[in-house]
Amino acid sequence: MCGFVGFLGNSGFKNDPDFFIRRMSDKLFHRGPDAEGVYVDTNSGIALAHRRLAILDLSPAGTQPMVSSSGRYVLTFNGEIYNHDLCRFDLIKSAVKWRGHSDTETLLAGFDAWGIENTIQKCIGMFAFAVWDKHTNTLTLGRDRLGEKPLYYGWQGKGSEAVFLFGSELKALRVHPAFDASICSDALASFMQNMVVAGFRSIFKGIYKVAPGTLLTVSLKSPEPVVNRYWSIEDVATQGVKQPFEGTESEAVDALEDLLKDAVGQQMMADVPLGAFLSGGVDSSTIVALMQAQSSRPVKTFSIGFAEEAFNEAEHAKAVANHLGTDHTELYVTPQQALDVIPRLPSLYDEPFADSSQIPTFLVSQMTRQHVTVALSGDAGDEIFAGYNRYQISASLWPRLSKVPGPLRQAAAWGLTRFSPATLNRLAGHLPGSGRWAGVGDKLHKGASVMSADSIDALYQGLVATGWPEPRKLLNVPVSHGHFLQMPELLGLSDVQRMMVLDGLNYLPDDILTKVDRAAMGVSLETRVPFLDHRVVEFAWRLPMAYKLRPTQNGLVTKWALRQVLYRHVPQALIERPKVGFGVPLEQWLRGPLREWAEDLLSPARLKRDGYLNSGLVRQKWTEHLSGRRNHQHALWCVLMFQAWLSKQSTMMGKPV
């Protein structure tokens, strides 16, 4: 795993292109501290730079940018191709003269023999890359199927001065003198609504994300990017539902275990120390169990804990580690350690990002990097095997709720919100087992907000938009769209299946994978996600829904087939417990140790000076939160992360357009 950056355009070469590209590369040092490489062709107008985190082939033979043996292609690549040895075997007939054993060299040999798209179709892995075709003077950008690795691009400047910028992180693009740092108003609205900049936009006008599963080509003669989608979760889902797995339950679990074991085995490939994150939940425990089953020595596992019981999973992780016999390391985080991360977040995430689990994700990555260079994770199990609570809500509640006339649902929602969350919380405190009712007032208000949904898409939007549901009321800038999530038609899918696809298109790449990539690469740690082996995803979509959400007398069991695989390795008693989110006690911190920091960012004078946000509305939320009457932690964290990010920007920042 590494980082790269580049630019295409004649105007970029009027001064010293080597100087500019190296300055851009310096901003990606954290993604690749082991080596730097640069390729500049002033005649063609292309410059590429690469920062290397050496994982495979630690010798100079793995240095990038790398030129193919034919001399046609120049590649800069971020990621891992897990089946590259098998691809090399298929290339025997091409009589390639190998210089080393890196997967980068394998990709280039494939480009020479099969072409770019055909090669990518053969690859199992995570990747983002830029390849320059010297024969056609064409640049191709590519991104992996599910969006594990980031890649930004966009034209900056006008007319003959235009330059096409591209790279792994925005901070590297910003160094180029052509970069225009104007904020995109729609991206800002998307962030405030969804806590992330969702979809194809970035926070900066004219800079976009390469979509997962696509190849994008551009040249100076044809400056309008041409996008070719080579894989899509929508197609995989619809085809999988049409052609379901027809074996028995036992055969399905056997096939899933074999496939997961192969995916995990491939992702254990490394020439550097390797380990895994372990929370003690279903997903990470499954990955670690399958790693340990294939390892001759104890797998290194890592977890963090909190003193606050509601946020602590360390004891569960330790129990699983002891059962599997892993070499386990845990860190109990003090509030101060967590708070010390917050000033780093704006530069770490490069654009506003408000999933507060970014804090423990960074801390576990930081601790893990002290021991290993590569860590496998259990991310994406929820999206693929139906683990989220919203799937249970949709499966059990929505079929009944949707039959109730809209006016009645709206009236019920009005009744739920007649009492403030603080009053409801206070009343719940008098109920038996009051600890189970913590925050029930805000949960009821949240539930009321989606009761009037008139479609499954509206329900989904209401459940996942945990920031500001109506960002137009918050922003002092024009917004052209009401919703910012991808909502394709998806004919033939059930409501729950539709939600799962929407998560694969939106929540997974924009939130989960972004969070992990930036946190881990911020400390030069490579993370790998076996559940996102596309063969696993494709097989999971062929499994009937009853193998994911299994009805029982006690309700719906999530991730049923995956649990059966895990229970072959870990006793069920060590796993079965209520789902705990990977978070921090943000609600309390904002009223306590973070109050002074937040008050500065949310001061009326500052909000009015910056001019982006409705200061009266923000102050109302802040006052209510401080009083304890409401829990506005998510909405306030969105504003705070934007304000903190804004304060880090240079004076070249423009007003939204």
Side-chain angles (χ1 to χ4, degrees):
M1 188 167 318
C2 310
F4 64 87
V5 67
F7 56 88
L8 173 67
N10 294 324
S11 65
F13 293 83
K14 289 183 178 179
N15 298 305
D16 185 350
D18 191 73
F19 170 76
F20 286 137
I21 197 66
R22 289 188 185 277
R23 281 190 61 213
M24 296 168 79
S25 173
D26 287 344
K27 293 296 183 181
L28 299 176
F29 178 84
H30 55 286
R31 297 190 76 94
D34 296 330
E36 178 189 38
V38 168
Y39 174 87
V40 176
D41 183 346
T42 56
N43 293 326
S44 299
I46 184 70
L48 302 169
H50 184 264
R51 297 290 330 189
R52 186 183 185 197
L53 178 64
I55 303 295
L56 292 175
D57 192 348
L58 309 186
S59 75
T63 299
Q64 300 181 44
M66 187 181 293
V67 182
S68 66
S69 59
S70 70
R72 176 174 180 174
Y73 298 105
V74 185
L75 175 65
T76 182
F77 166 69
N78 167 30
E80 301 291 348
I81 305 301
Y82 303 121
N83 66 331
H84 87 98
D85 282 339
L86 294 176
C87 291
R88 285 195 173 209
F89 182 79
D90 290 342
L91 286 162
I92 288 177
K93 294 181 181 179
S94 300
V96 179
K97 295 182 179 179
W98 302 107
R99 293 163 287 182
H101 64 272
S102 73
D103 51 355
T104 308
E105 187 179 7
T106 306
L107 275 179
L108 281 167
F111 294 168
D112 275 338
W114 304 318
I116 295 173
E117 182 174 352
N118 287 337
T119 299
I120 295 305
Q121 292 280 13
K122 295 175 183 287
C123 290
I124 301 169
M126 58 175 182
F127 49 83
F129 64 82
V131 58
W132 177 247
D133 186 337
K134 295 165 69 174
H135 288 188
T136 63
N137 285 340
T138 299
L139 176 71
T140 299
L141 306 181
R143 194 173 178 201
D144 61 63
R145 295 170 176 86
L146 279 305
E148 289 187 64
K149 294 294 99 191
L151 183 50
Y152 294 90
Y153 73 95
W155 284 100
Q156 297 282 275
K158 297 180 179 179
S160 61
E161 299 298 313
V163 179
F164 187 78
L165 305 178
F166 56 93
S168 301
E169 293 187 18
L170 290 169
K171 60 174 63 71
L173 275 59
R174 287 205 59 180
V175 173
H176 196 281
F179 190 89
D180 176 7
S182 296
I183 290 178
C184 171
S185 296
D186 283 344
L188 179 56
S190 170
F191 164 71
M192 289 299 176
Q193 185 180 75
N194 301 294
M195 302 198 302
V196 299
V197 178
F200 62 90
R201 298 179 180 86
S202 83
I203 192 63
F204 295 114
K205 184 187 177 186
I207 301 296
Y208 308 98
K209 305 165 193 167
V210 175
T214 63
L215 299 173
L216 181 152
T217 58
V218 66
S219 69
L220 294 180
K221 290 184 178 179
S222 301
E224 184 66 29
V226 176
V227 177
N228 176 29
R229 198 165 189 187
Y230 65 87
W231 191 94
S232 80
I233 188 67
E234 303 102 296
D235 291 344
V236 166
T238 53
Q239 289 301 314
V241 170
K242 288 179 181 178
Q243 300 174 332
F245 182 83
E246 295 181 349
T248 65
E249 290 181 354
S250 178
E251 289 170 340
V253 175
D254 288 342
L256 178 59
E257 182 173 22
D258 289 343
L259 190 52
L260 283 172
K261 187 177 292 185
D262 185 59
V264 168
Q266 285 191 353
Q267 296 197 23
M268 293 173 69
M269 168 188 67
D271 295 333
V272 293
L274 175 142
F277 299 141
L278 178 61
S279 70
V282 172
D283 303 333
S284 65
S285 297
T286 302
I287 298 303
V288 171
L290 295 177
M291 291 177 71
Q292 193 59 71
Q294 301 178 75
S295 177
S296 60
R297 63 184 67 179
V299 171
K300 294 181 182 294
T301 54
F302 305 91
S303 66
I304 62 171
F306 291 91
E308 295 86 353
E309 185 177 350
F311 298 89
N312 185 39
E313 289 190 302
E315 288 300 319
H316 304 298
K318 187 176 181 179
V320 173
N322 287 339
H323 175 80
L324 293 173
T326 70
D327 179 4
H328 191 59
T329 302
E330 63 181 14
L331 169 69
Y332 270 80
V333 178
T334 66
Q336 190 57 51
Q337 284 176 297
L339 297 174
D340 288 343
V341 174
I342 292 174
R344 301 182 61 170
L345 296 177
S347 55
L348 188 70
Y349 282 86
D350 229 11
E351 60 182 342
F353 186 88
D355 180 341
S356 61
S357 63
Q358 62 199 137
I359 297 172
T361 301
F362 176 81
L363 288 168
V364 73
S365 297
Q366 186 179 55
M367 183 257 291
T368 301
R369 184 61 177 93
Q370 297 172 13
H371 304 270
V372 299
T373 310
V374 177
L376 274 63
S377 85
D379 287 311
D382 286 319
E383 290 86 354
I384 297 170
F385 295 102
Y388 288 130
N389 291 334
R390 54 180 167 268
Y391 304 148
Q392 297 183 64
I393 292 172
S394 300
S396 60
L397 179 61
W398 178 248
R400 297 192 296 271
L401 186 63
S402 61
K403 294 178 182 177
V404 178
L408 289 179
R409 283 188 277 129
Q410 292 171 4
W414 178 84
L416 285 175
T417 56
R418 283 285 290 162
F419 298 98
S420 72
T423 299
L424 293 170
N425 290 337
R426 195 161 50 249
L427 292 172
H430 298 292
L431 297 174
S434 58
R436 298 177 330 186
W437 301 97
V440 68
D442 286 287
K443 292 174 183 176
L444 286 173
H445 273 242
K446 176 70 174 177
S449 70
V450 300
M451 283 188 69
S452 57
D454 57 3
S455 67
I456 193 67
D457 286 357
L459 177 66
Y460 176 79
Q461 180 74 44
L463 291 171
V464 301
T466 52
W468 295 76
E470 299 179 273
R472 279 191 176 90
K473 294 181 179 180
L474 171 68
L475 300 180
N476 291 332
V477 294
V479 178
S480 61
H481 298 281
H483 298 290
F484 304 94
L485 301 180
Q486 298 182 70
M487 297 279 190
E489 196 169 8
L490 298 175
L491 297 177
L493 300 188
S494 70
D495 290 340
V496 174
Q497 290 167 336
R498 179 170 179 78
M499 275 195 171
M500 292 172 66
V501 173
L502 295 180
D503 275 335
L505 286 170
N506 297 289
Y507 184 65
L508 180 65
D510 295 336
D511 189 318
I512 300 298
L513 298 179
T514 297
K515 174 185 65 180
V516 175
D517 175 81
R518 305 305 191 278
M521 291 310 297
V523 293
S524 305
L525 174 73
E526 173 172 306
T527 52
R528 299 176 177 177
V529 187
F531 286 128
L532 291 185
D533 182 312
H534 71 276
R535 300 169 303 164
V536 174
V537 176
E538 290 167 0
F539 178 77
W541 272 106
R542 293 184 57 221
L543 292 176
M545 276 305 301
Y547 290 23
K548 300 167 190 173
L549 281 179
R550 172 64 59 100
T552 69
Q553 290 182 341
N554 298 320
L556 291 170
V557 174
T558 63
K559 298 185 281 196
W560 181 84
L562 187 61
R563 290 176 188 270
Q564 307 319 302
V565 172
L566 175 58
Y567 297 154
R568 294 177 174 182
H569 302 269
V570 177
Q572 184 173 347
L574 290 183
I575 301 298
E576 291 300 333
R577 62 183 186 275
K579 189 176 180 64
V580 177
F582 193 46
V584 293
L586 187 60
E587 177 185 358
Q588 294 83 5
W589 284 1
L590 289 174
R591 298 189 185 110
L594 286 180
R595 180 169 178 170
E596 183 177 350
W597 166 78
E599 188 64 66
D600 177 59
L601 291 172
L602 302 180
S603 71
R606 185 168 191 159
L607 290 168
K608 291 177 181 178
R609 181 195 69 200
D610 294 335
Y612 293 94
L613 307 178
N614 181 328
S615 62
L617 188 55
V618 171
R619 294 299 301 182
Q620 177 188 339
K621 295 274 190 185
W622 178 233
T623 301
E624 290 179 350
H625 188 87
L626 290 179
S627 72
R629 297 194 307 270
R630 298 292 302 271
N631 175 14
H632 293 308
Q633 60 176 340
H634 298 305
L636 290 170
W637 195 245
C638 284
V639 173
L640 288 165
M641 285 294 95
F642 173 68
Q643 289 292 99
W645 174 83
L646 192 62
S647 71
K648 290 286 186 181
Q649 303 310 298
S650 70
T651 55
M652 68 184 284
M653 180 72 71
K655 288 291 182 183
V657 292

